[in-house]
Amino acid sequence: VHLVESGGGSVQAGGSLRLSCIASGLNVSAYSMAWFRQAPGVVREGVASIRPDGSSRYKENVQGRFSISRDSAKHSIDLQMNRVTPEDTAVYYCAARLGTLAPSLLLRTEGYRIWGQGTQVTVSS
């Protein structure tokens, strides 16, 4: 089972970026999936999640700017990032957990068992 992130890079504040997580060895429709991020010196934090039923949850300060989506045919989970700010600079990780996570665990690292290697996002002002 592997998760591979792509789409990271450098972007100016106010711009957009789309991250993709390709899953191999698992059915993304049967898993709770999420995007986390970690900036230097900061604990890893949950950004967005999507459950098997399609319900999603977002970190408060990305609500309305970021959107998580699932493409079962492509075995992928995408994160559309709009109106980015320098505070969005971090390494972004994809994570997965079989089944439907409780709401309290959706944006918490302890809820997930499978992790990708991360992709760097850098936002310049």
Side-chain angles (χ1 to χ4, degrees), residues 66-113:
F66 290 9
S67 178
I68 189 170
S69 61
R70 179 176 62 212
D71 189 329
S72 299
K74 296 181 179 179
H75 309 289
S76 70
I77 298 292
D78 288 357
L79 182 70
Q80 178 66 42
M81 305 167 60
N82 297 326
R83 304 194 305 278
V84 296
T85 73
E87 288 69 36
D88 295 320
T89 295
V91 177
Y92 283 71
Y93 298 90
C94 181
R97 173 72 179 270
L98 180 63
T100 299
L101 276 174
S104 61
L105 289 175
L106 285 172
L107 296 180
R108 295 175 63 173
T109 56
E110 57 263 41
Y112 296 85
R113 295 292 181 264

Side-chain angles (χ1 to χ4, degrees), residues 21-98:
C21 170
I22 303 296
S24 60
L26 64 86
N27 178 2
V28 296
S29 295
Y31 281 69
S32 294
M33 306 288 295
W35 284 95
F36 286 75
R37 67 187 182 188
Q38 187 167 21
V42 180
V43 297
R44 191 172 297 188
E45 61 180 7
V47 174
S49 66
I50 186 167
R51 300 201 298 185
D53 65 358
S55 59
S56 58
R57 175 166 289 193
Y58 296 90
K59 178 179 170 60
E60 186 174 346
N61 66 0
V62 307
Q63 181 83 44
R65 298 189 298 122
F66 290 9
S67 178
I68 189 170
S69 61
R70 179 176 62 212
D71 189 329
S72 299
K74 296 181 179 179
H75 309 289
S76 70
I77 298 292
D78 288 357
L79 182 70
Q80 178 66 42
M81 305 167 60
N82 297 326
R83 304 194 305 278
V84 296
T85 73
E87 288 69 36
D88 295 320
T89 295
V91 177
Y92 283 71
Y93 298 90
C94 181
R97 173 72 179 270
L98 180 63

